[in-house]
Amino acid sequence: MNQQKAINLKVKRPKRNWLDLPSEITTNILHRIGVFDIFQNAQKVCTAWREICKDPAMWKVIYVDASFDPNANLAFEEMCKRAVDRSQGQLVDITIVRFRNEEILEYIANRSSQLKRLTIACCDDFSYRIWTKCLVKFPLLEELSLYATNISKEGIETAGRYCSKLKTLKVNQENYSFWDDCIATAIGENLHELRHLELIGNPMMNEGLKMILDGCHHLELLDLRRCLFIRLGGVLGKRCLRQIKCVKLPNDFLEGCPYEKDGFFDESDGHYDEYYDEYYDEYYDESEVGYDEESEGGSDEEFIYEKDGFYDKSDGYYDESEGGSDE
């Protein structure tokens, strides 16, 4: 009987008053729900929450994804502007996804001189001119990440001139309709302090890669996945291994790449192999880039890819006398 009473006994739990939480904890919680829910719901709950949502510290990091409702792009643009305004110049990190109006970048640039990280995804309607107009206003920029979003060589040159702290650049957008070294050349000539460079799907050739290696001596990571027009046999491949700590190769999987479904091939359907063979055979002309099997120290067939993106030295192809090491 006593056991039955104990089972039926309801344990009274103290009621939790969310308003009693320290403001910094509440800020942390509200920040996780996103810009849309803050403006549409959270700031309307009570006066205390509204004051927290108006605090500039709340808006140092902003993420706005307009793909949730493609028909409401204008509404997301207005929310993004309001978020930038509330930061009162303290914004340091912003990500915008699927915005159709490039003027949003100009709005951010005019009000965010402290910005350190800028990520733009799936905004392929942005014109080349917008970069030369806006990058001059980001003197503290350390990371620029672009996914399926255009940038011009003039934009890269502007970044080199005005964004002296830039250490990470990601220009990931597959374009196999032509081969072009202009972006790679602009990077090699202007961004000498880069540590992390991603160029997934870039149509550069060997000459473009050489420009990067010549100009970016501090690179620690180079992502060349989907760069279909480069050949890493011989000296060029060995040089990548010696000079850069981590190299991701053209045929490596896109594991861990954000927005893969939005702007890149889906590997699961085997589509990549067809495109690789078609474009490599049809467009790559070794004579155009001065590729010489004998002078480069080996043919492409000798080049072995490891699963982790480096050379397989076990076949004896790697020669330490070339200046590399086993480490």
Side-chain angles (χ1 to χ4, degrees):
M1 180 66 69
N2 291 336
Q3 289 181 343
Q4 186 66 32
K5 287 183 178 180
I7 293 174
N8 294 331
L9 182 64
K10 293 182 179 180
V11 178
K12 293 184 178 180
R13 297 180 180 179
K15 293 182 179 180
R16 177 176 296 171
N17 187 346
W18 291 95
L19 296 179
D20 292 337
L21 287 174
S23 60
E24 59 271 17
I25 295 179
T26 303
T27 298
N28 186 287
I29 294 172
L30 293 178
H31 193 271
R32 296 169 186 269
I33 70 175
V35 172
F36 180 85
D37 284 325
I38 289 176
F39 282 123
Q40 296 298 317
N41 301 304
Q43 69 175 8
K44 302 175 182 178
V45 170
C46 61
T47 302
W49 281 23
R50 181 170 180 80
E51 290 303 313
I52 290 175
C53 292
K54 292 169 64 176
D55 185 352
M58 179 78 179
W59 304 99
K60 288 186 176 182
V61 179
I62 297 174
Y63 180 96
V64 186
D65 187 348
S67 63
F68 288 121
D69 187 353
N71 297 319
N73 203 273
L74 184 60
F76 280 99
E77 182 179 326
E78 290 303 316
M79 278 189 284
C80 185
K81 289 180 178 179
R82 289 169 62 190
V84 171
D85 289 341
R86 287 192 178 184
S87 74
Q88 296 183 18
Q90 296 186 33
L91 180 64
V92 296
D93 185 342
I94 187 167
T95 299
I96 58 175
V97 183
R98 287 203 181 279
F99 275 70
R100 298 172 186 169
N101 187 357
E102 66 179 22
E103 291 180 3
I104 188 64
L105 181 57
E106 188 173 356
Y107 193 91
I108 295 168
N110 289 334
R111 295 160 177 80
S112 309
S113 60
Q114 302 300 308
L115 195 70
K116 294 183 179 180
R117 288 175 290 277
L118 173 62
T119 301
I120 303 179
C122 308
C123 298
D124 51 5
D125 290 334
F126 281 23
S127 69
Y128 290 142
R129 69 162 186 84
I130 197 67
W131 296 106
T132 55
K133 192 174 184 179
C134 294
L135 285 174
V136 299
K137 300 179 181 180
F138 296 135
L140 301 182
L141 194 66
E142 298 175 2
E143 299 179 16
L144 175 60
S145 302
L146 307 178
Y147 301 88
T149 300
N150 298 319
I151 191 170
S152 63
K153 68 181 184 65
E154 290 81 10
I156 299 295
E157 291 167 357
T158 302
R161 189 174 299 115
Y162 294 98
C163 305
S164 60
K165 297 181 180 295
L166 190 65
K167 298 296 188 296
T168 297
L169 176 65
K170 303 178 184 181
V171 183
N172 297 329
Q173 177 168 335
E174 291 188 322
N175 190 341
Y176 301 144
S177 59
F178 62 95
W179 58 91
D180 189 357
D181 286 325
C182 66
I183 294 296
T185 298
I187 291 171
E189 291 178 343
N190 296 278
L191 302 179
H192 306 301
E193 300 301 319
L194 286 181
R195 267 63 173 180
H196 183 159
L197 177 61
E198 291 185 13
L199 294 172
I200 298 175
N202 190 277
M204 68 176 165
M205 298 180 292
N206 279 27
E207 287 302 319
L209 178 56
K210 289 176 183 176
M211 291 295 295
I212 291 173
L213 296 177
D214 288 342
C216 304
H217 296 288
H218 301 292
L219 272 183
E220 299 175 1
L221 186 148
L222 177 60
D223 194 334
L224 299 173
R225 287 177 291 178
R226 299 298 195 272
C227 294
L228 303 187
F229 304 123
I230 59 175
R231 299 186 69 177
L232 291 176
V235 170
L236 186 62
K238 291 180 181 179
R239 182 181 176 187
C240 282
L241 179 61
R242 290 197 303 266
Q243 185 171 328
I244 302 174
K245 184 182 298 184
C246 178
V247 180
K248 297 184 180 181
L249 301 171
N251 64 342
D252 287 349
F253 289 112
L254 281 177
E255 182 180 359
C257 179
Y259 314 106
E260 177 185 343
K261 302 294 183 182
D262 295 301
F264 301 102
F265 290 129
D266 180 1
E267 295 168 338
S268 63
D269 63 1
H271 205 188
Y272 168 67
D273 291 334
E274 297 174 8
Y275 272 82
Y276 187 91
D277 294 338
E278 174 187 350
Y279 284 101
Y280 193 86
D281 294 338
E282 180 177 353
Y283 291 109
Y284 197 95
D285 182 359
E286 294 172 358
S287 63
E288 285 194 30
V289 296
Y291 182 81
D292 183 345
E293 273 188 10
E294 294 183 1
S295 64
E296 291 285 1
S299 67
D300 191 51
E301 285 73 19
E302 292 176 315
F303 183 73
I304 304 299
Y305 298 107
E306 277 190 331
K307 291 181 180 180
D308 62 356
F310 295 94
Y311 294 89
D312 180 2
K313 304 168 188 173
S314 61
D315 65 347
Y317 176 66
Y318 180 78
D319 185 357
E320 291 187 4
S321 64
E322 292 290 334
S325 67
D326 282 333
E327 296 182 356

